[in-house]
Amino acid sequence: MKQLITLTFFLLTFTTFAQKPCEYSTNVNDSIGSYKVTNEYLISEKYFGGTFDYIFFSLAQTDGLPTLNLQLIQKSKDFIKANCFDKNSKVFLQLENGKIVTLIHIERENCGTLIRDDKGFDNRINTGIFMFKKENYDELKKSPVSIMRIKYLTTTEDYIVKRELTSELNAKVYHPNTYFMENMRCVE
């Protein structure tokens, strides 16, 4: 009986701590190479003065090179300032262990696309691709993120990365601070 209880406890513990499988929006392997991208994940959501800001992350791997795809979506009936990415743009991630991880933007300038919807809102969608530095890549798998700083072409913005975020957009619960700890394995 004691062994049965021990076995049951072990199985429950194992299933509780098991990693969930990686989910990809794209996963291609052909004669040219390989490319896979994880599903987009909400990292930040802000509503202030009639303006909505959303930041989504997805991880990509192109022929063994992992990158971060950052998508910024802004929605407002007022003027939306363009936050452009250029060769000097960076994402700084301060981890809870005190270390700072820097991601470098690829050299393609991008100011996004402005689209007006049928409800009179202007929507600016901007995507940046950031590369990991080899020396601090492993730190992202060890410690949660506490603060994110994005350096755009003309400005810098800071974001507090929450432990739990219930989205007003889709009512889903996200855990942005552990995003890298849970998903880096999907692009290795």
Side-chain angles (χ1 to χ4, degrees):
M1 184 65 169
K2 193 175 186 181
Q3 291 174 340
L4 183 61
I5 292 171
T6 305
L7 180 62
T8 303
F9 177 74
F10 174 74
L11 290 176
L12 287 174
T13 304
F14 181 74
T15 58
T16 303
F17 293 107
Q19 292 179 342
K20 62 181 181 180
C22 295
E23 296 179 12
Y24 299 101
S25 60
T26 305
N27 192 356
V28 177
N29 286 309
D30 60 18
S31 61
I32 298 173
S34 65
Y35 180 71
K36 57 184 168 183
V37 180
T38 60
N39 290 336
E40 291 182 340
Y41 194 86
L42 183 66
I43 297 299
S44 176
E45 180 179 73
K46 181 171 58 172
Y47 173 70
F48 183 78
T51 300
F52 300 87
D53 290 334
Y54 305 99
I55 296 178
F56 292 91
F57 280 177
S58 62
L59 292 169
Q61 183 198 68
T62 308
D63 296 329
L65 177 68
T67 55
L68 173 70
N69 295 339
L70 183 150
Q71 185 176 61
L72 172 65
I73 300 174
Q74 299 169 292
K75 182 176 185 169
S76 180
K77 288 191 176 185
D78 297 329
F79 175 76
I80 299 176
K81 182 181 104 177
N83 287 328
C84 302
F85 293 119
D86 73 338
K87 65 180 180 174
N88 297 316
S89 293
K90 294 181 173 123
V91 172
F92 302 96
L93 302 168
Q94 181 167 347
L95 306 181
E96 287 184 7
N97 66 8
K99 296 188 179 181
I100 296 176
V101 175
T102 304
L103 289 80
I104 302 167
H105 189 260
I106 62 171
E107 296 199 14
R108 186 174 5 159
E109 188 171 309
N110 183 3
C111 292
T113 305
L114 189 65
I115 303 167
R116 181 176 281 277
D117 66 18
D118 57 350
K119 295 179 183 173
F121 281 93
D122 286 332
N123 299 278
R124 181 174 297 282
I125 302 168
N126 192 1
T127 303
I129 301 172
F130 293 85
M131 297 180 292
F132 297 95
K133 288 185 173 182
K134 196 176 254 187
E135 60 268 10
N136 54 22
Y137 176 82
D138 288 330
E139 291 299 324
L140 290 168
K141 296 186 276 186
K142 298 176 188 173
S143 180
V145 177
S146 58
I147 299 172
M148 173 176 62
R149 173 175 284 172
I150 302 175
K151 181 186 178 300
Y152 298 100
L153 175 64
T154 58
T155 189
T156 301
E157 291 193 26
D158 292 334
Y159 302 88
I160 302 297
V161 181
K162 298 179 180 178
R163 290 185 188 276
E164 184 173 288
L165 170 65
T166 303
S167 174
E168 293 180 27
L169 181 67
N170 60 13
K172 281 181 152 181
V173 176
Y174 295 89
H175 300 279
N177 72 327
T178 57
Y179 174 77
F180 292 104
M181 292 172 67
E182 296 170 4
N183 293 289
M184 289 298 280
R185 63 185 171 78
C186 297
V187 292
E188 293 184 316

